[in-house]
PDB file of all heavy atoms in Angstrom:
ATOM      1  N   LEU A 521     -70.471 -49.994 101.504  1.00  0.00           N
ATOM      2  CA  LEU A 521     -69.606 -49.100 100.745  1.00  0.00           C
ATOM      3  C   LEU A 521     -69.693 -49.459  99.263  1.00  0.00           C
ATOM      4  O   LEU A 521     -70.351 -50.428  98.874  1.00  0.00           O
ATOM      5  CB  LEU A 521     -68.153 -49.238 101.233  1.00  0.00           C
ATOM      6  CG  LEU A 521     -67.912 -49.000 102.730  1.00  0.00           C
ATOM      7  CD1 LEU A 521     -66.452 -49.247 103.054  1.00  0.00           C
ATOM      8  CD2 LEU A 521     -68.327 -47.592 103.126  1.00  0.00           C
ATOM      9  N   THR A 522     -69.016 -48.736  98.422  1.00  0.00           N
ATOM     10  CA  THR A 522     -69.062 -48.983  96.985  1.00  0.00           C
ATOM     11  C   THR A 522     -68.506 -50.358  96.645  1.00  0.00           C
ATOM     12  O   THR A 522     -69.115 -51.118  95.865  1.00  0.00           O
ATOM     13  CB  THR A 522     -68.255 -47.908  96.232  1.00  0.00           C
ATOM     14  OG1 THR A 522     -68.773 -46.625  96.571  1.00  0.00           O
ATOM     15  CG2 THR A 522     -68.349 -48.121  94.728  1.00  0.00           C
ATOM     16  N   ASN A 523     -67.385 -50.732  97.227  1.00  0.00           N
ATOM     17  CA  ASN A 523     -66.720 -51.985  96.867  1.00  0.00           C
ATOM     18  C   ASN A 523     -66.708 -53.007  97.990  1.00  0.00           C
ATOM     19  O   ASN A 523     -66.089 -54.076  97.863  1.00  0.00           O
ATOM     20  CB  ASN A 523     -65.277 -51.702  96.439  1.00  0.00           C
ATOM     21  CG  ASN A 523     -65.226 -50.810  95.208  1.00  0.00           C
ATOM     22  OD1 ASN A 523     -65.990 -51.031  94.261  1.00  0.00           O
ATOM     23  ND2 ASN A 523     -64.350 -49.822  95.226  1.00  0.00           N
ATOM     24  N   ALA A 524     -67.325 -52.666  99.136  1.00  0.00           N
ATOM     25  CA  ALA A 524     -67.263 -53.597 100.263  1.00  0.00           C
ATOM     26  C   ALA A 524     -68.435 -53.343 101.210  1.00  0.00           C
ATOM     27  O   ALA A 524     -69.144 -52.338 101.102  1.00  0.00           O
ATOM     28  CB  ALA A 524     -65.939 -53.430 100.995  1.00  0.00           C
ATOM     29  N   GLU A 525     -68.587 -54.256 102.160  1.00  0.00           N
ATOM     30  CA  GLU A 525     -69.559 -54.072 103.226  1.00  0.00           C
ATOM     31  C   GLU A 525     -68.876 -54.351 104.559  1.00  0.00           C
ATOM     32  O   GLU A 525     -67.938 -55.154 104.646  1.00  0.00           O
ATOM     33  CB  GLU A 525     -70.760 -55.004 103.027  1.00  0.00           C
ATOM     34  CG  GLU A 525     -71.648 -54.606 101.876  1.00  0.00           C
ATOM     35  CD  GLU A 525     -73.015 -55.276 101.936  1.00  0.00           C
ATOM     36  OE1 GLU A 525     -73.396 -55.718 103.041  1.00  0.00           O
ATOM     37  OE2 GLU A 525     -73.692 -55.329 100.895  1.00  0.00           O
ATOM     38  N   ARG A 526     -69.402 -53.677 105.607  1.00  0.00           N
ATOM     39  CA  ARG A 526     -68.813 -53.806 106.938  1.00  0.00           C
ATOM     40  C   ARG A 526     -69.837 -54.458 107.861  1.00  0.00           C
ATOM     41  O   ARG A 526     -71.030 -54.126 107.826  1.00  0.00           O
ATOM     42  CB  ARG A 526     -68.405 -52.442 107.471  1.00  0.00           C
ATOM     43  CG  ARG A 526     -67.213 -51.870 106.702  1.00  0.00           C
ATOM     44  CD  ARG A 526     -66.865 -50.453 107.131  1.00  0.00           C
ATOM     45  NE  ARG A 526     -65.657 -49.983 106.456  1.00  0.00           N
ATOM     46  CZ  ARG A 526     -65.183 -48.739 106.552  1.00  0.00           C
ATOM     47  NH1 ARG A 526     -65.842 -47.829 107.275  1.00  0.00           N
ATOM     48  NH2 ARG A 526     -64.086 -48.402 105.910  1.00  0.00           N
ATOM     49  N   PHE A 527     -69.297 -55.363 108.725  1.00  0.00           N
ATOM     50  CA  PHE A 527     -70.155 -56.152 109.598  1.00  0.00           C
ATOM     51  C   PHE A 527     -69.622 -56.094 111.031  1.00  0.00           C
ATOM     52  O   PHE A 527     -68.448 -55.767 111.269  1.00  0.00           O
ATOM     53  CB  PHE A 527     -70.198 -57.615 109.125  1.00  0.00           C
ATOM     54  CG  PHE A 527     -70.654 -57.801 107.710  1.00  0.00           C
ATOM     55  CD1 PHE A 527     -69.748 -57.751 106.640  1.00  0.00           C
ATOM     56  CD2 PHE A 527     -72.001 -58.033 107.418  1.00  0.00           C
ATOM     57  CE1 PHE A 527     -70.172 -57.921 105.330  1.00  0.00           C
ATOM     58  CE2 PHE A 527     -72.430 -58.212 106.112  1.00  0.00           C
ATOM     59  CZ  PHE A 527     -71.514 -58.156 105.068  1.00  0.00           C
ATOM     60  N   ILE A 528     -70.513 -56.466 111.947  1.00  0.00           N
ATOM     61  CA  ILE A 528     -70.096 -56.633 113.337  1.00  0.00           C
ATOM     62  C   ILE A 528     -70.615 -57.974 113.812  1.00  0.00           C
ATOM     63  O   ILE A 528     -71.508 -58.580 113.202  1.00  0.00           O
ATOM     64  CB  ILE A 528     -70.647 -55.512 114.244  1.00  0.00           C
ATOM     65  CG1 ILE A 528     -72.182 -55.489 114.206  1.00  0.00           C
ATOM     66  CG2 ILE A 528     -70.070 -54.154 113.870  1.00  0.00           C
ATOM     67  CD1 ILE A 528     -72.808 -54.547 115.212  1.00  0.00           C
ATOM     68  N   THR A 529     -70.033 -58.429 114.939  1.00  0.00           N
ATOM     69  CA  THR A 529     -70.502 -59.657 115.578  1.00  0.00           C
ATOM     70  C   THR A 529     -70.663 -59.374 117.067  1.00  0.00           C
ATOM     71  O   THR A 529     -70.031 -58.452 117.612  1.00  0.00           O
ATOM     72  CB  THR A 529     -69.490 -60.797 115.387  1.00  0.00           C
ATOM     73  OG1 THR A 529     -68.294 -60.484 116.113  1.00  0.00           O
ATOM     74  CG2 THR A 529     -69.168 -61.025 113.924  1.00  0.00           C
ATOM     75  N   PRO A 530     -71.491 -60.117 117.779  1.00  0.00           N
ATOM     76  CA  PRO A 530     -71.635 -59.919 119.235  1.00  0.00           C
ATOM     77  C   PRO A 530     -70.301 -60.000 119.964  1.00  0.00           C
ATOM     78  O   PRO A 530     -70.035 -59.221 120.882  1.00  0.00           O
ATOM     79  CB  PRO A 530     -72.584 -61.053 119.644  1.00  0.00           C
ATOM     80  CG  PRO A 530     -73.388 -61.320 118.400  1.00  0.00           C
ATOM     81  CD  PRO A 530     -72.421 -61.139 117.263  1.00  0.00           C
ATOM     82  N   GLU A 531     -69.449 -60.925 119.547  1.00  0.00           N
ATOM     83  CA  GLU A 531     -68.135 -61.072 120.183  1.00  0.00           C
ATOM     84  C   GLU A 531     -67.292 -59.810 120.002  1.00  0.00           C
ATOM     85  O   GLU A 531     -66.646 -59.326 120.919  1.00  0.00           O
ATOM     86  CB  GLU A 531     -67.418 -62.284 119.589  1.00  0.00           C
ATOM     87  CG  GLU A 531     -66.034 -62.521 120.193  1.00  0.00           C
ATOM     88  CD  GLU A 531     -65.268 -63.632 119.474  1.00  0.00           C
ATOM     89  OE1 GLU A 531     -65.691 -64.024 118.358  1.00  0.00           O
ATOM     90  OE2 GLU A 531     -64.263 -64.094 120.029  1.00  0.00           O
ATOM     91  N   LEU A 532     -67.340 -59.285 118.774  1.00  0.00           N
ATOM     92  CA  LEU A 532     -66.550 -58.090 118.472  1.00  0.00           C
ATOM     93  C   LEU A 532     -67.057 -56.887 119.276  1.00  0.00           C
ATOM     94  O   LEU A 532     -66.265 -56.096 119.801  1.00  0.00           O
ATOM     95  CB  LEU A 532     -66.609 -57.810 116.960  1.00  0.00           C
ATOM     96  CG  LEU A 532     -65.631 -56.754 116.430  1.00  0.00           C
ATOM     97  CD1 LEU A 532     -64.191 -57.166 116.724  1.00  0.00           C
ATOM     98  CD2 LEU A 532     -65.821 -56.573 114.928  1.00  0.00           C
TER      99      LEU A 532
END
Side-chain angles (χ1 to χ4, degrees):
L521 304 177
T522 303
N523 298 316
E525 289 196 21
R526 290 175 175 174
F527 303 88
I528 59 172
T529 67
E531 180 187 14
L532 191 59

